[in-house]
Amino acid sequence: MTNSSSNAMWGGRFADGPDAIMEAINASISFDRRLYAQDIQGSRAHAAMLAATGIISPKDAEAIREGLLTVLSEIETGSFEFSTALEDIHMNVEARLKELIGEPAGRLHTARSRNDQVATDFRMWVRDQLDATEAALIALIRALLSQAEAGAGWIMPGFTHLQTAQPVTWGHHMMAYVEMFGRDLGRVRDARVRMNESPLGAAALAGTSFPIDRDQTAAALGFDRPAANSLDAVADRDFALEFLSVAAITAMHLSRFAEELVIWSSTQFRFVALSDRFSTGSSIMPQKKNPDAAELIRAKIGRILGAMIGLFTVMKGLPLTYSKDMQEDKEQVFDAADSLMLALAAMTGMVSDMTANRDALLDAAASGFSTATDLADWLVRVLGLPFREAHHITGALVAMAEDRCCDLHELTLEDMQSVHGDITADVFAVLGVENSVASRTSYGGTAPEEVTRQITRWKEMLT
């Protein structure tokens, strides 16, 4: 492939080619080569439409089609020579096409501009990433459902402020993340519907005088419809911003779960054991098993959120329509997409492989006065006390148990009656963590039967 100057592609407007610095800052081929498949797919659809509408001859369209397939094969086999002087993926492909088929290659760019071309390529690439993210989220949700189903009745402490609050079940905790990632899945699907409009045919910014068929190219490229305004079609990067927003929220959820796995796998908690596949050792401390995969997932939110803020900052001051600033949109999206897919895959692997320590979970749930709320509820329900009074009595009993270094269920009936004389032995039925969990049967509650119902609901939604 020749390394001809890009001003030959621009035409006669510029007498001199850009110097090395300008070439370096202007070129995007180092990263936008990732759009090659979408670029060639869009060009093939455009050429077919030009032939169908009589704008170019069927012979030229066939030469373009065959030439583009050759370029695609060269890129995929690694024999294609990318040129920085040709700036971007569009010019690199078109220049090679001209070498292969000659004069018909020059007809390919009829009725389009690099502005609508790159908008189309990039939109298709982001759409592919949304599809990949959807599949990755479903895989993660299925792994969480498996964990939830296995431990629907395993008792563990629920926390607020990282302090023991009330007993819940392992299954219920796993299902909390199913709901989180389920919302991410919904956002991915919503974003895909909203962005699935074709910019192709908007040309530079004003449309074209050629009798093109934008519905044909939109359908050929899997879009629902052509974009309705040519100015907006080339100026819009909402689809990329929305992808980054979805990615940032998903990464935040991954980070929260990763933080819990770091805590839970520590010697102090021992709630879970992570597999060797997602852990590392220490160079000098042989007893260590570090949750490095979880820690790296926890860090990914920084890169992804940074990409989102970066692109928002690029776009916020741009007048309609296209400005070269928008060349800075892709690297950030590419990096965020790579980081998100890696984090999702790693989390799915960790969730699939991790083993919950049922005994440690139960021991932790039975400590820390986790049934205090159940005691207060019993005082209200059985003795008819106002909740504020019941709260005060329960607090006094907790203080007594703390002084005696025991838990609530280890106090005697006489101890309890010394705080409120109407308490009966029936109160001990609610002080066991098993009874506490079993009683939370409200919709979305932690009772095993309710957890199982939610697991079934999600399995049905994913079929």
Side-chain angles (χ1 to χ4, degrees):
M1 182 175 182
T2 61
N3 195 31
S4 58
S5 173
S6 61
N7 66 314
M9 302 294 289
W10 291 336
R13 171 64 180 85
F14 296 92
D16 298 318
D19 63 20
I21 295 174
M22 182 59 192
E23 181 177 293
I25 195 171
N26 196 50
S28 59
I29 189 59
S30 63
F31 52 86
D32 71 13
R33 66 177 64 186
R34 290 181 67 160
L35 301 176
Y36 76 87
Q38 291 79 15
D39 190 73
I40 291 172
Q41 184 182 359
S43 290
R44 290 179 62 194
H46 185 66
M49 180 275 295
L50 292 176
T53 54
I55 297 172
I56 66 173
S57 70
K59 181 180 179 182
D60 284 347
E62 178 61 19
I64 290 170
R65 188 186 77 84
E66 291 296 327
L68 287 171
L69 288 176
T70 299
V71 174
L72 179 64
S73 176
E74 289 178 350
I75 294 175
E76 291 182 338
T77 59
S79 62
F80 189 94
E81 295 181 17
F82 291 99
S83 168
T84 303
L86 291 171
E87 295 185 19
D88 56 33
I89 186 61
H90 324 298
M91 286 188 167
N92 270 264
V93 169
E94 189 173 335
R96 178 57 178 152
L97 182 65
K98 185 175 181 181
E99 289 181 346
L100 289 168
I101 68 172
E103 187 267 343
R107 303 188 187 281
L108 175 59
H109 211 53
T110 306
R112 76 173 182 184
S113 162
R114 278 196 296 174
N115 291 355
D116 62 334
Q117 188 178 0
V118 69
T120 303
D121 294 355
F122 194 25
R123 193 175 288 248
M124 291 169 63
W125 192 92
V126 171
R127 185 178 64 187
D128 290 343
Q129 288 302 304
L130 287 170
D131 291 342
T133 303
E134 178 182 20
L137 281 167
I138 290 172
L140 176 55
I141 289 170
R142 290 191 187 281
L144 288 164
L145 287 171
S146 295
Q147 284 284 352
E149 194 166 31
W154 300 352
I155 297 170
M156 66 175 289
F159 297 94
T160 62
H161 308 280
L162 204 56
Q163 305 295 313
T164 299
Q166 293 177 266
V168 295
T169 61
W170 173 259
H172 195 50
H173 202 111
M174 295 299 102
M175 290 304 293
Y177 283 103
V178 168
E179 294 294 331
M180 283 190 200
F181 294 119
R183 290 193 297 274
D184 295 327
L185 182 61
R187 278 183 280 268
V188 165
R189 290 169 172 170
D190 288 347
R192 194 190 193 285
V193 170
R194 200 160 18 254
M195 61 87 71
N196 204 33
E197 297 182 343
S198 174
L200 193 58
L205 74 162
T208 178
S209 59
F210 289 95
I212 62 172
D213 185 346
R214 294 190 64 206
D215 289 305
Q216 178 182 333
T217 51
L221 297 174
F223 290 108
D224 295 328
R225 65 193 70 82
N229 184 283
S230 61
L231 296 171
D232 180 57
V234 298
D236 172 43
R237 292 298 183 271
D238 287 2
F239 63 91
L241 290 167
E242 191 163 5
F243 169 72
L244 290 174
S245 299
V246 169
I249 296 172
T250 303
M252 178 269 293
H253 289 153
L254 289 167
S255 181
R256 293 185 73 177
F257 195 17
E259 171 72 1
E260 293 208 305
L261 294 180
V262 170
I263 293 170
W264 289 355
S265 62
S266 67
T267 304
Q268 290 72 23
F269 273 73
R270 298 185 302 109
F271 282 6
V272 299
L274 301 178
S275 74
D276 292 346
R277 291 201 309 148
F278 296 98
S279 306
T280 65
S282 167
S283 61
I284 63 169
M285 294 172 283
Q287 83 282 7
K288 294 281 298 294
K289 185 176 181 181
N290 300 324
D292 281 10
E295 293 171 350
L296 290 166
I297 290 171
R298 187 174 59 185
K300 291 297 184 184
I301 179 63
R303 292 178 69 158
I304 295 171
L305 184 60
M308 184 187 76
I309 293 171
L311 185 53
F312 267 103
T313 306
V314 167
M315 296 301 299
K316 72 174 184 63
L318 298 186
L320 297 180
T321 54
Y322 182 83
S323 298
K324 195 69 170 181
D325 311 50
M326 292 163 71
Q327 185 167 291
E328 292 295 314
D329 55 3
K330 296 170 198 65
E331 282 184 286
Q332 299 171 85
V333 174
F334 293 160
D335 184 76
D338 291 345
S339 294
L340 179 64
M341 292 305 297
L342 183 58
L344 283 167
M347 183 60 81
T348 301
M350 279 195 298
V351 170
S352 298
D353 288 359
M354 73 181 180
T355 303
N357 184 340
R358 189 175 179 180
D359 292 337
L361 292 170
L362 179 60
D363 289 344
S367 64
F369 312 110
S370 65
T371 57
T373 303
D374 297 275
L375 173 56
D377 288 346
W378 184 90
L379 293 170
V380 172
R381 186 174 61 252
V382 176
L383 301 187
L385 299 179
F387 184 80
R388 285 301 168 199
E389 183 179 351
H391 187 281
H392 177 77
I393 292 168
T394 301
L397 289 170
V398 167
M400 179 185 293
E402 282 184 322
D403 287 343
R404 299 184 182 183
C405 298
C406 66
D407 214 319
L408 283 171
H409 70 277
E410 296 174 308
L411 294 174
T412 66
L413 179 60
E414 290 74 19
D415 291 333
M416 293 192 178
Q417 288 177 338
S418 70
V419 176
H420 194 284
D422 292 338
I423 295 177
T424 68
D426 292 342
V427 73
F428 290 101
V430 303
L431 295 182
V433 290
E434 293 86 355
N435 290 334
S436 172
V437 164
S439 71
R440 307 294 177 181
T441 56
S442 58
Y443 182 83
T446 193
E449 63 190 73
E450 182 58 24
V451 172
T452 299
R453 179 159 73 135
Q454 297 299 335
I455 292 170
T456 300
R457 179 177 70 89
W458 267 100
K459 282 185 172 181
E460 290 173 352
M461 287 195 297
L462 292 178
T463 55

